């Protein structure tokens, strides 16, 4: 967690999102924040990476984020992309509530559930699916296309489930109290 | 190890009696009895003895709060040692499909869909098309280390029903380099060259005793693959069992046991063993005899390793995760995903259900969930003086003040009694003083009240950290601060000066704290009108152990760089030590690049 920043460091939205002025948000019109989400300094969020809008239809959302998410310093969120029928196209990234992404982590997951803690310097590979109540230890590298089931503690390179989280995982990974402190 | 950490002692362990002065035969207690002698059980309220967190057995009873459940019927916390697990459902952790019980019994505990993990690095394998336009042939490719099934000469014709295709390809007749992967009960075969000496030795020689039973004799010099060998062995066991069970009652579960093929039931083994003494050449003895090494296989292995080089051999983990324990990377096969379970938990004493998850695989919801943190007060300790401070280097003989915050999870106010011995029960006792051991903690009222309180500037930031205010002074006999559902008191610790060469475990200051919370609650809230207004006094009591820090050297020049600041909550998930610390950063860079590809 970065130390408290001086007043005016964050732009606060109506729904309680706090976005650092020092973060890089690209394609912000394609990003939906659910509210009470904190984006700290030097984060890079690539909302511009999305499938081009089909003629006649509205542009797609590139990144949907739930409530009480925290993106610590220098995190990178990049919607995943791959070659599909000869065209390189991006797919939307969806995050649930109470998702913490640690300093310097790079996330290219397709879906991240609720109550997910991603440690410092983690790399979450393309199209990874992380279900609810998952803790990923610092420095873990999750291989592309991985699926992490609920109540898992993941560690290693590549990340494998090393332990089950206890029944109290939702309380442990709740970020409401952390949100209040920032 | 991170400091400070708080653990709670589950009473299902008999640990507290170990620390009882002189009453225990344990030599550990004797070691410490002289230290405790001048300190008669202050905490002995109801004849309960002091808890000793230094006792070696204490390790078995101490758990962080988040691991504990609570049994309402026993009015007691329940730890993983005193709960029973019951499997609700099996599921594949990769495709997240539930696997029916019957399938698990017949097919085994691995996914029979398309879920495979890399035999080299254990990452997930994805089906990748080699054709230009996403067409056949397909391979199983590891996106982490780039191992693929083509490394062992396997290419697939279609991107679905991988298990069946792999089984086909791994048959020795189909491919000379093919190997086996038992995904559950299905038995695939392994080429003869991969059979370990012990097994092949048994396989060939088994012909010598099979004829004596009614099994068909093996052709002369026939080599059995482990799969075939397994089937034969299974038949052999069945034969043994049928003979053994002739002269006794059949165990109702024996047929099920047979299916699982762990071994014959113990009840059947005994008469068999008796018969073994009569027969001069029973199967078991033969097995032991034939474990001798076949020199040809050894030679083959040496030639193979010398041609592949050291880099071509498997690591211990790689070898042990494979059913045929290969020594060469070229002999590895994709691993079918191991199933995971959803389990409900019961109290071991009264059998009531304490936790019951929904059977739906992806769901984290549950029908019943009695976790201890919703019942017993939560302890939380922080440094009183918030300046930089090293928990790994407590200065001896100095007075260290900490704030102990007690948070109430209940909707009724509680009165808390804290108790500690005057000295920690370790080899080198520290002095402990709690300024105010008896106090009230407010009720855990609505979230709305909390929101209003924090809006009006009250320091109730989730009740987790009290900010020292100027006007307050640390007066013994008074609490330090209180909020909506929390109260904090000062606890003072004076660590001793340690002689040279002290064991690291003796340097850690572990403070045993007995916590008793009492409250009046309405009887049977959910009964409705009848129970209304009738109050009942309840009490929760438990021992906890606070690991405050490590005692440092006496004349430390200047404070060292603080390693851990801030407090630890009892419920913190952070007790697992960081694994990847100190790993080469370049490695992660490389991984990033390869994952981008
Ligand atoms: Zn227990
Ligand atoms: Zn599966
Ligand atoms: Zn791999
Ligand atoms: Zn019970």
């Amino acid at each position: 967690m970065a130390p408290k920043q001086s007043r005016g460091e964050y732009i606060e939205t109506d729904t309680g999102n706090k976005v650092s002025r020092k973060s890089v948000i690209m394609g912000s019109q394609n990003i939906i924040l659910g509210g009470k989400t904190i984006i700290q300094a030097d984060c890079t969020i690539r909302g511009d990476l999305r499938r081009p809008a089909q003629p006649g239809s509205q542009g797609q959302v590139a990144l949907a984020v739930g409530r009480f998410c925290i993106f610590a310093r220098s995190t990178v969120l990049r919607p995943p992309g791959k070659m599909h029928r000869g065209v390189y196209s991006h797919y939307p990234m969806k995050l649930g509530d109470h998702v913490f992404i640690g300093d310097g982590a790079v996330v290219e997951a397709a879906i991240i559930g609720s109550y997910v803690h991603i440690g410092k310097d983690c790399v979450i590979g393309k199209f990874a699916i992380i279900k609810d109540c998952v803790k990923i230890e610092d420095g873990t590298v999750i291989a592309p296309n991985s699926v992490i089931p609920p109540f898992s503690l993941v560690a290693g390179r590549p990340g494998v489930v090393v332990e089950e989280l206890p029944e109290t995982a939702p309380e442990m990974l709740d970020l409401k109290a952390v949100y209040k402190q920032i | 190890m991170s400091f400070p950490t708080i653990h709670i002692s589950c009473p299902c362990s008999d640990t507290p009696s170990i620390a009882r002065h002189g009453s225990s035969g344990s030599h550990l207690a004797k070691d410490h009895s002289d230290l405790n002698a001048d300190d008669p059980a202050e905490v002995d309220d109801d004849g309960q003895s002091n808890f000793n967190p230094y006792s070696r057995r204490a390790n078995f009873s101490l758990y962080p709060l988040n691991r504990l459940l609570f049994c309402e019927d026993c009015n007691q916390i329940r730890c993983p040692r005193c709960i029973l697990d019951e499997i609700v459902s099996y599921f594949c952790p990769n495709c997240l499909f539930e696997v029916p019980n019957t399938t698990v019994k017949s097919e085994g505990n691995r996914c029979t869909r398309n879920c495979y993990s890399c035999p080299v690095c254990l990452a997930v394998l994805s089906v990748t098309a080699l054709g230009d336009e996403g067409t056949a042939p397909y391979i199983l490719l590891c996106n982490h280390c780039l191992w693929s099934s083509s490394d062992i000469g396997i290419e697939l014709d279609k991107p679905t029903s991988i298990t069946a295709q792999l089984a086909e390809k791994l048959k020795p007749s189909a491919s000379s380099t093919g190997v086996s992967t038992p995904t559950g009960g299905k038995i695939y075969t392994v080429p003869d060259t991969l059979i370990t000496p012990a097994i092949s030795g048994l396989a060939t020689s088994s012909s010598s005793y099979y004829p004596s039973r009614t099994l068909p004799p093996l052709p002369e010099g026939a080599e059995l693959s482990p799969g075939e060998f397994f089937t034969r062995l299974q038949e052999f066991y069945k034969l043994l069992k049928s003979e053994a069970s002739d002269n006794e009652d059949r165990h109702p579960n024996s047929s099920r046991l047979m299916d699982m093929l762990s071994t014959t039931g113990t009840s059947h083994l005994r008469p068999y063993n008796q018969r073994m003494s009569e027969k001069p050449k029973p199967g078991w003895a033969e097995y032991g005899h034939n474990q001798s090494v076949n020199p040809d296989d050894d030679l083959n292995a040496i030639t193979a390793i010398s041609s592949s080089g050291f880099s071509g051999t498997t690591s211990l983990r790689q070898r042990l995760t494979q059913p045929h324990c290969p020594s060469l990377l070229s002999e590895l096969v994709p691993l079918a995903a191991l199933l995971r379970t959803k389990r409900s938990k019961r109290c071991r004493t009264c059998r009531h259900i304490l936790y019951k998850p929904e059977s739906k695989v992806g769901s984290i919801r549950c029908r019943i969930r009695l976790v201890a943190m919703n019942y017993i007060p939560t302890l939380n300790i922080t440094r009183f003086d918030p300046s930089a401070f090293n928990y790994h280097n407590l200065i001896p003989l100095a007075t260290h003040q900490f704030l102990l915050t007690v948070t109430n999870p209940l909707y009724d106010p509680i009165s808390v009694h804290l108790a500690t011995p005057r000295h920690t029960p370790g080899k080198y006792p520290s002095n402990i003083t709690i300024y105010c051991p008896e106090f009230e903690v407010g009720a855990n009222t609505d979230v709305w009240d909390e929101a209003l309180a924090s809006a009006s500037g009250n320091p109730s930031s989730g009740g987790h950290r009290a900010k020292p205010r100027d006007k307050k002074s640390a007066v013994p006999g008074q609490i330090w601060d209180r909020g909506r559902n929390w109260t904090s008191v000062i606890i003072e610790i004076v660590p001793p000066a340690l002689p040279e060469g002290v064991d690291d475990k003796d340097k850690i200051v572990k403070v045993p704290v007995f916590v008793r919370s009492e409250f009046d609650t309405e009887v049977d809230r959910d009964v409705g009108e009848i129970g209304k207004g009738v109050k009942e006094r309840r009490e929760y009591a438990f021992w906890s152990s606070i690991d405050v820090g490590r005692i440092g050297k006496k004349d430390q020049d200047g404070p060292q760089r603080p390693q851990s600041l801030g407090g630890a909550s009892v419920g913190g998930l952070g007790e697992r030590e960081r694994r990847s610390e100190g790993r080469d950063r370049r490695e992660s860079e490389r991984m990033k690049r390869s994952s981008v590809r």
Side-chain angles (χ1 to χ4, degrees), chain B residues 10 12 79 82:
Chain B
C10 179
C12 72
C79 72
C82 52

Side-chain angles (χ1 to χ4, degrees), chain B residues 87 187 352 395 544:
Chain B
I87 292 171
I187 293 150
H352 276 89
I395 299 155
S544 61

Side-chain angles (χ1 to χ4, degrees), chain B residues 92-97 111-115 337 339:
Chain B
C92 167
N94 192 55
C95 59
L96 299 176
F97 270 97
C111 181
T112 51
R113 289 166 184 275
N114 304 327
C115 306
L339 302 183

Side-chain angles (χ1 to χ4, degrees), chain A residues 123 126 132 135 137-138 141 145 147 149-153 155 157-158 163-164 166-168 171-172 180, chain B residues 66-67 93-94 121 126 143-144 340 343 345 355 364 369 373 450 571 573 576 578-580 592 596:
Chain A
V123 177
K126 281 179 188 178
D132 299 343
K135 188 174 188 226
E137 298 267 345
D138 292 354
V141 176
N145 305 312
V147 178
F151 292 105
S152 303
L153 178 66
R157 296 174 179 178
E163 216 171 88
E164 254 180 21
E167 298 80 14
T168 52
E171 280 92 347
M172 301 295 80
K180 279 179 195 157
Chain B
N66 62 44
R67 292 272 163 189
N94 192 55
C121 73
S126 32
N143 284 302
H144 189 86
R340 253 177 85 167
R343 301 184 306 280
K345 314 271 165 104
Y355 181 77
I364 58 164
R369 186 171 178 276
M373 59 173 63
E450 186 185 13
L573 274 173
R576 168 173 283 269
R578 288 172 55 199
R579 286 161 170 259
S580 48
K592 274 181 215 170
V596 168

Side-chain angles (χ1 to χ4, degrees), chain B residues 26-45:
Chain B
S26 157
H27 72 98
L28 259 164
K30 275 180 192 154
D31 284 351
H32 299 146
S33 59
D34 52 335
L35 295 171
N36 291 332
D38 62 331
D39 187 21
E42 291 170 275
V43 198
D44 250 358
D45 275 335

Side-chain angles (χ1 to χ4, degrees), chain B residues 286-297:
Chain B
E286 184 139 334
Y287 181 75
H289 174 73
N290 278 292
Q291 265 182 329
S292 60
V293 178
N294 185 344
D296 284 350
D297 287 328

